[in-house]
Amino acid sequence: MPEITGLRGDDPAEVAGYRLTGRLSSTVYAGRSAAGEAVAVRLLPAEMDPEPFLRVIEPLQGLSAVSTAQILATGVLDDRAYVVSEYVDGPALETVGGTLDGVALYRLAVGTITALVAIHQAGLVHGDIRPGNVLLGPDGPRVIDVGLERAMAEAAVSTRKVAVPAYTAPERLRGARPRAPADVFSWAATLVFAASGASPFDGGSMAGTVDRIVNGEPALPHLGELHGLIAACLAKDPAARPAASEVLLRLVGQTSFLTGQVAVAEPPKPPAWPAEPPAWPAEPPARRRPGLLPLVAAFVVGALVSGAGVYAVTGRAGPAGTVAASTSPSGSPAADPSITPTITSAQTEAPLEKVEKKAATDTKLPGIGVTLHEHPNDPVRAVSYVESKGSFTSYARDRSGAFKAVGVTEQPLLSPGGDWVALNPLLKFQGSELDQVKFHRLSTGESFVVSTVKKPLQSLIPVWSRDGGKLLLSVYNRESKPARLVGFVVVDLATRKSVHVETEYLDDASLTYTFAPDGSIARGYWDGKRGGIEYYDMSGQVTKTMHWVGMPRGGSWFSPSGKRFVTVCPNGKDFCVWATQGGARQATVPFGDAGGSFIGWFNETHLLVQDPGKKKGTQVIKVIDLVGVTERVLADFATDDPALLQFARVQGR
């Protein structure tokens, strides 16, 4: 808690209607509003010209951003400018640096970068991110003094020198004005201080520190899964640093939580089965694209997406292949785990369905660098996405084909009926201990919120039932060591209530739950030797296991008819198509020379996959048949920016 000393004889008793109650420093006072709310009041030095200072600081008064101390009032008192802001009852990070790691460090990273995203989205910069300007409040970290450094520089008679070079970007030390990339650099240096108690560029003296920032490499402590991201933010070249929005998307869920029929740029190539799978969540490679979402404390993301996390699994809590009931949810006998059905590589017996070879329209989606190539006869189309820059606005496509804004920093998932949108927040626990999911109706604008689980549990990876009447979310405990997938939540759209189910097995995995065609719950698993799928009832018990089929990806592995499903084959080298009833293999689909990532089904005899594009840093979503031949490209990713792009079936097809 900040130390508050008594007022002195020459201190004012009141500023702009706020009663001063004590001193926080020589120029900052504690105070109370007429309603009794605690505030902090800063008086600027008398030698500073109030007019240019207020010209810079007054626009910030309207900024209400998560994890910042809001400016409540500005003005002039006896020729001295003042700023009244929210009071944060907690210590500055500079007093506790070197003590944060694990979950605490992750929360600090998410909270502070969320504040920067909001500041940058407003067209502003902070200009002075450092340990002294981050307060650890009871409701999370708060960034203070937004824009103060720039405002004071404008008001000073002479050029104001940078006060704390240890956290200042190299371009600013060369005289450049504060810009968004400099904030990201300072944020990363501040996170290093939180973990180690020292600046990553500590040179023993101010001159030595400045030289190391400009010419040397940072000294980084063990930062766990944050290490690669922090290092990227400390790049000397401002253009090489990720934007605050990309940092947030990378942080939220570490980009492997939002699964389903969602396309994201730069998917990893499916690996062979590891002898000892790494613990979940796996650290994403440098500049791996979130499948959003994440985006945000959100990620956010979000992300959040099928990808490497599908394979990042460890041993199960129970014996492999255990059958907990004698019948499946539909009443049919459960599969005997000791029996493996006949496996063939024959093609599916379904007649080959037509795919239009040429698109009729090209549609660019603003904010994510994606162009859709669509035809009116397509049974699948893009239906929702989240801006990867700017405001992180979420869009959903209504029945007329128009994309409508439906939320901010939320993962949108359009229902099979095309009217309801489920919005899973990327920013979790903002003002509540309960996780929630929002539902929005495109045709009427109606919306409501359903609570799912209580902190430290989180509900992620939403999947709609085939009739659009229920939403399924996977539940995990991020604070357990290691983090575990612990169950699922089913939300009933009609009753607007949720049911939380704790499952028989707790997995260190991101193999998440989905609806099977009969309405039961299914998921992939890894038992330490092989991967398969299992079915659950609403008591959380396993009712059926298919231990020979390999690992599913995402939440859309069942075909439109429900008669077959796709996995990565047990050899880890191809896609396998299996019969839902009985589990016989119907097709083996090669990845192709460039590798590939399964997105979902296009129709009963064609798959949607994501591949690298012709140009470096680009990706394509394409339709392939069950021998791996490309029929048509559905979408081009022209940039490597993060994207959450959902494909879904067109109603009636």
Side-chain angles (χ1 to χ4, degrees):
M1 180 182 299
E3 182 181 358
I4 302 176
T5 59
L7 295 174
R8 299 176 182 177
D10 56 348
D11 287 332
E14 182 179 295
V15 174
Y18 294 90
R19 180 174 57 87
L20 304 189
T21 58
R23 276 176 162 251
L24 291 167
S25 70
S26 60
T27 58
V28 182
Y29 300 87
R32 294 278 177 183
S33 69
E37 296 172 332
V39 298
V41 180
R42 180 185 294 273
L43 285 178
L44 275 296
E47 65 270 17
M48 286 195 169
D49 186 353
E51 184 177 344
F53 174 85
L54 293 176
R55 186 170 58 247
V56 174
I57 208 73
E58 282 178 345
L60 299 173
Q61 187 170 332
L63 178 65
S64 178
V66 176
S67 300
T68 63
Q70 185 178 2
I71 295 175
L72 304 174
T74 59
V76 178
L77 176 70
D78 297 332
D79 296 327
R80 296 178 67 182
Y82 65 79
V83 178
V84 182
S85 60
E86 290 181 276
Y87 175 78
V88 180
D89 189 8
L93 179 60
E94 65 183 353
T95 67
V96 298
T99 65
L100 302 183
D101 59 10
V103 173
L105 185 64
Y106 175 83
R107 285 177 173 171
L108 176 68
V110 170
T112 48
I113 201 65
T114 299
L116 276 189
V117 169
I119 292 166
H120 294 172
Q121 286 174 355
L124 306 168
V125 295
H126 187 287
D128 194 22
I129 295 289
R130 53 185 170 85
N133 279 340
V134 176
L135 302 184
L136 306 180
D139 58 348
R142 295 286 195 98
V143 175
I144 63 171
D145 291 351
V146 178
L148 185 66
E149 194 276 340
R150 180 187 168 197
M152 293 181 72
E154 291 287 337
V157 175
S158 59
T159 302
R160 183 170 177 263
K161 294 183 179 179
V162 177
V164 188
Y167 305 95
T168 304
E171 66 270 21
R172 291 211 55 211
L173 295 174
R174 297 188 182 99
R177 293 176 64 85
R179 300 190 184 280
D183 277 350
V184 171
F185 183 98
S186 298
W187 170 84
T190 298
L191 261 290
V192 173
F193 174 86
S196 67
S199 162
F201 299 98
D202 188 3
S205 66
M206 181 174 290
T209 298
V210 169
D211 179 70
R212 187 168 180 179
I213 290 174
V214 175
N215 301 307
E217 294 302 319
L220 299 181
H222 176 68
L223 297 167
E225 60 192 56
L226 298 178
H227 194 282
L229 183 59
I230 296 295
C233 293
L234 293 174
K236 305 295 184 192
D237 181 2
R241 299 170 203 150
S245 57
E246 183 177 349
V247 173
L248 183 54
L249 287 172
R250 289 272 300 275
L251 284 173
V252 178
Q254 285 300 307
T255 77
S256 59
F257 302 148
L258 295 183
T259 61
Q261 196 158 313
V262 178
V264 294
E266 202 174 298
K269 183 181 294 186
W273 302 118
E276 296 182 3
W280 179 89
E283 180 178 346
R287 296 186 66 81
R288 176 176 169 232
R289 299 299 153 242
L292 205 86
L293 50 321
L295 336 215
V296 154
F299 115 130
V300 144
V301 80
L304 298 135
V305 182
S306 59
V310 170
Y311 303 97
V313 297
T314 61
R316 294 153 55 78
T322 298
V323 177
S326 60
T327 60
S328 72
S330 62
S332 60
D336 184 341
S338 65
I339 300 174
T340 300
T342 302
I343 297 178
T344 71
S345 58
Q347 291 298 319
T348 173
E349 296 176 0
L352 193 63
E353 295 186 63
K354 181 180 179 182
V355 176
E356 299 291 345
K357 301 294 185 181
K358 253 182 115 176
T361 58
D362 293 335
T363 304
K364 291 187 177 181
L365 300 181
I368 61 172
V370 172
T371 301
L372 305 177
H373 308 293
E374 299 180 310
H375 193 282
N377 294 336
D378 289 344
V380 167
R381 68 175 182 174
V383 294
S384 70
Y385 69 94
V386 181
E387 286 182 338
S388 57
K389 293 182 177 179
S391 63
F392 290 101
T393 301
S394 308
Y395 292 89
R397 202 170 195 174
D398 64 18
R399 289 169 177 169
S400 72
F403 283 95
K404 292 183 176 180
V406 291
V408 178
T409 63
E410 296 165 305
Q411 179 206 5
L413 200 72
L414 190 65
S415 69
D419 196 17
W420 283 99
V421 184
L423 294 160
N424 190 37
L426 303 177
L427 291 161
K428 299 288 187 180
F429 309 117
Q430 299 300 301
S432 173
E433 293 290 303
L434 297 175
D435 200 356
Q436 299 176 323
V437 61
K438 180 179 178 181
F439 294 87
H440 175 83
R441 195 168 193 172
L442 292 173
S443 60
T444 64
E446 173 190 2
S447 64
F448 63 91
V449 173
V450 176
S451 297
T452 54
V453 291
K454 189 175 182 179
K455 195 175 183 181
L457 302 181
Q458 294 189 29
S459 53
L460 293 169
I461 314 101
V463 180
W464 282 101
S465 62
R466 294 198 165 214
D467 62 3
K470 292 181 173 62
L471 188 77
L472 172 71
L473 300 103
S474 296
V475 174
Y476 79 102
N477 187 341
R478 186 69 186 263
E479 292 189 352
S480 65
K481 295 186 181 298
R484 292 183 182 274
L485 190 67
V486 297
F488 56 84
V489 166
V490 176
V491 181
D492 189 296
L493 193 64
T495 63
R496 302 186 178 186
K497 294 181 179 180
S498 66
V499 176
H500 174 205
V501 178
E502 295 181 357
T503 48
E504 180 180 5
Y505 294 129
L506 308 180
D507 284 299
D508 307 333
S510 59
L511 287 169
T512 54
Y513 297 89
T514 191
F515 279 115
D518 64 359
S520 62
I521 311 298
R523 68 180 292 273
Y525 75 86
W526 172 263
D527 66 9
K529 295 181 180 179
R530 57 187 174 185
I533 65 172
E534 55 195 9
Y535 292 79
Y536 286 78
D537 61 21
M538 286 301 292
S539 71
Q541 299 296 303
V542 173
T543 61
K544 184 172 67 173
T545 300
M546 291 183 174
H547 58 80
W548 58 88
V549 297
M551 300 277 273
R553 302 199 65 190
S556 299
W557 23 290
F558 289 101
S559 71
S561 72
K563 294 180 179 180
R564 51 187 59 86
F565 61 88
V566 169
T567 67
V568 176
C569 295
N571 64 11
K573 298 179 181 179
D574 302 295
F575 296 128
C576 280
V577 178
W578 308 87
T580 303
Q581 293 296 323
R585 188 186 300 188
Q586 296 188 334
T588 302
V589 187
F591 287 149
D593 294 338
S597 180
F598 174 72
I599 300 298
W601 289 81
F602 182 75
N603 56 31
E604 201 67 17
T605 58
H606 292 83
L607 307 179
L608 279 178
V609 298
Q610 184 163 338
D611 270 348
K614 294 181 179 179
K615 295 182 179 179
K616 185 178 180 180
T618 65
Q619 299 288 320
V620 295
I621 304 296
K622 63 185 184 180
V623 182
I624 65 171
D625 64 20
L626 297 187
V627 294
V629 175
T630 299
E631 300 282 5
R632 194 177 98 230
V633 171
L634 289 192
D636 282 304
F637 290 78
T639 73
D640 60 358
D641 289 331
L644 270 179
L645 179 61
Q646 177 202 357
F647 287 86
R649 300 203 64 76
V650 177
Q651 191 174 16
R653 295 181 190 170

